[in-house]
Amino acid sequence: PRTKLIAWLVVVVLGCRARALGDASDGSGNCSSSFVTTWRDGEVPRIRVQPGSTTSEEAVVAEMVATLLKAGAVVVEGLATRHDMDTLAADLARDESGTFRGAVGSFAGSHTTRNAGKPLGESSVAQALATHDVVVAAVDTVLAPYAKRIILGTCSAIAVHAPENSTVAPAPPQQLHRDDSMWAVSEWAHDDRCVPTGDGVDESHQGPHLSVSTMWAVSDFTAENGATRVALGSHRQCPRTRFAPEDLAVSPAAMPKGSVLLWLGGTFHGAGAHAPVRDDVAQGTAAAPDTTRRGLLFIYNLGWLRSEHNFHNAMPVDVIQRLPADLKDLMGYAGQNAVEHPWYTGPVYAQPYLGGPQGSAAGEGVQFAKPAAPTVPDDLSLGNLDAPNLGTARLATEA
């Protein structure tokens, strides 16, 4: 039935045809320009882009959006390298003074640490991931019907740690929640829009999507080290509940380092629990491995919604002013001031981000110069953030 998430496998091949289930080959066993989407029952769907291959950005984005809208979440592999993640981890490890740990029994988690807001100023890799062409294009496609511009509202490096020793129990899994619960509109905008069906899933209409979250795997994500748990299809729950039902089924988003998990703001999710310390490690017969689950979270929301993070309070002004222009646009710095003033450290008006797809009825004002439309190459080399032009490919964010 359409209302159930059933196992399926789709192979999308550019320039060659699949000869068998999961085999995208051209007869020689190779297909240098392909990606494969798999979705098995009980698992988070995933798209695997051939590492280092050149494929159509539009095709990958379309597949990401279609899967995301149906399942509520999708893992994409092959958009960054393990080396990129190692560089990012080293960048963020240089100064951990701003990192905090959650309290016992808290939403944040007592075995979870967060470095909020400032990673964007600490790592060029973080900047490149925040503006990744394929990911931002997919996010923008989902949110474009509801706003002229999207905005990057959250940036947080989140790590789930193992217990200190064998006598300490792991912190419990994070409470399941929806990211769009940050805004009251997430509740009343859905009140009279869904049409209940037999199993409570809305197949006809739903309220606007307010945000899309992305979690980059800085380390391998496994069920044992606290991979994000996702309730597939929960974005279509009807009637929509504020808290997750106790019997809600979740799937761990296991993914290799360098992958990215995307989920809709209305999808119930939460970090998993780290496994206890292994017996051989506790007994001293084996060295303690680093099993910390490290991720970098970005939440993109409609430009007219209040952001979760105050980036101007997390980074010095001079650091923000040196960020790449496309990243500053995503952070709310699009536009110009009518006059210069020593107090002005950026655009005073937020007009470019206000209103629906056509913008505010008041317009952007005469003080705003319309930015030149950036160009995007016809073909992008995916999975190669090591290139010297890290994160320089630009995306048009105009709806």
Side-chain angles (χ1 to χ4, degrees):
R2 293 181 60 214
T3 56
K4 293 183 183 283
L5 301 179
I6 60 176
W8 58 275
L9 176 67
V10 177
V11 181
V12 182
V13 188
L14 308 177
C16 59
R17 296 182 62 84
R19 300 173 67 88
L21 194 66
D23 173 28
S25 66
D26 57 3
S28 62
N30 299 314
C31 180
S32 61
S33 58
S34 67
F35 61 87
V36 177
T37 302
T38 59
W39 186 0
R40 298 184 178 90
D41 194 22
E43 296 182 4
V44 178
R46 67 187 57 236
I47 300 171
R48 292 184 177 91
V49 179
Q50 297 289 349
S53 69
T54 300
T55 189
S56 164
E57 174 190 333
E58 290 78 9
V60 177
V61 169
E63 185 70 5
M64 290 170 64
V65 170
T67 308
L68 182 60
L69 291 177
K70 183 172 181 63
V74 62
V75 169
V76 185
E77 301 178 10
L79 297 186
T81 67
R82 298 180 71 88
H83 180 263
D84 296 323
M85 300 299 105
D86 290 339
T87 302
L88 173 60
D91 289 344
L92 300 183
R94 292 193 184 99
D95 179 11
E96 297 182 339
S97 58
T99 300
F100 67 94
R101 182 181 292 263
V104 175
S106 69
F107 176 85
S110 58
H111 285 156
T112 300
T113 56
R114 283 172 169 78
N115 176 1
K118 64 187 182 69
L120 284 175
E122 298 174 318
S123 174
S124 60
V125 177
Q127 297 165 16
L129 295 177
T131 57
H132 194 289
D133 301 281
V134 173
V135 174
V136 173
V139 171
D140 190 55
T141 301
V142 173
L143 300 182
Y146 316 106
K148 184 174 183 179
R149 286 179 182 263
I150 61 173
I151 197 167
L152 176 62
T154 300
C155 169
S156 190
I158 304 176
V160 178
H161 301 267
E164 292 82 353
N165 54 62
S166 60
T167 66
V168 179
Q174 185 184 33
Q175 174 187 334
L176 294 177
H177 61 284
R178 308 182 200 262
D179 284 340
D180 67 11
S181 66
M182 291 187 284
W183 305 285
V185 66
S186 67
E187 296 186 14
W188 57 259
H190 292 78
D191 286 347
D192 58 355
R193 287 176 174 265
C194 78
V195 178
T197 58
D199 60 358
V201 176
D202 175 15
E203 290 285 355
S204 59
H205 190 74
Q206 60 184 12
H209 296 294
L210 305 181
S211 65
V212 177
S213 302
T214 66
M215 176 70 82
W216 289 90
V218 185
S219 68
D220 291 333
F221 274 43
T222 68
E224 291 72 32
N225 71 359
T228 305
R229 300 170 304 141
V230 178
L232 298 174
S234 57
H235 63 298
R236 295 183 289 120
Q237 182 193 33
C238 179
R240 179 177 167 125
T241 60
R242 186 173 189 182
F243 299 104
E246 292 185 1
D247 59 349
L248 186 63
V250 294
S251 302
M255 55 181 174
K257 181 193 296 187
S259 304
V260 61
L261 167 68
L262 294 86
W263 65 91
L264 297 174
T267 299
F268 277 118
H269 68 283
H274 197 292
V277 175
R278 289 185 351 224
D279 290 340
D280 56 349
V281 173
Q283 296 166 3
T285 59
D290 183 5
T291 56
T292 303
R293 189 222 77 176
R294 294 182 172 87
L296 183 62
L297 169 71
F298 297 118
I299 301 179
Y300 304 85
N301 51 262
L302 304 181
W304 45 267
L305 287 171
R306 179 69 170 88
S307 298
E308 180 184 30
H309 285 171
N310 291 318
F311 290 114
H312 57 278
N313 289 337
M315 294 175 281
V317 171
D318 62 310
V319 172
I320 293 177
Q321 291 177 337
R322 292 196 301 268
L323 294 175
D326 53 352
L327 177 56
K328 288 196 293 184
D329 283 355
L330 277 174
M331 293 169 58
Y333 284 80
Q336 297 177 354
N337 291 317
V339 296
E340 294 184 3
H341 190 279
W343 286 8
Y344 293 169
T345 59
V348 175
Y349 286 88
Q351 286 297 122
Y353 300 88
L354 303 183
Q358 304 305 317
S360 169
E364 294 191 352
V366 296
Q367 69 270 35
F368 296 106
K370 186 175 181 180
T375 58
V376 179
D378 292 335
D379 293 318
L380 292 177
S381 179
L382 304 180
N384 184 25
L385 286 181
D386 293 323
N389 62 340
L390 183 67
T392 57
R394 303 285 302 279
L395 279 177
T397 57
E398 294 283 345

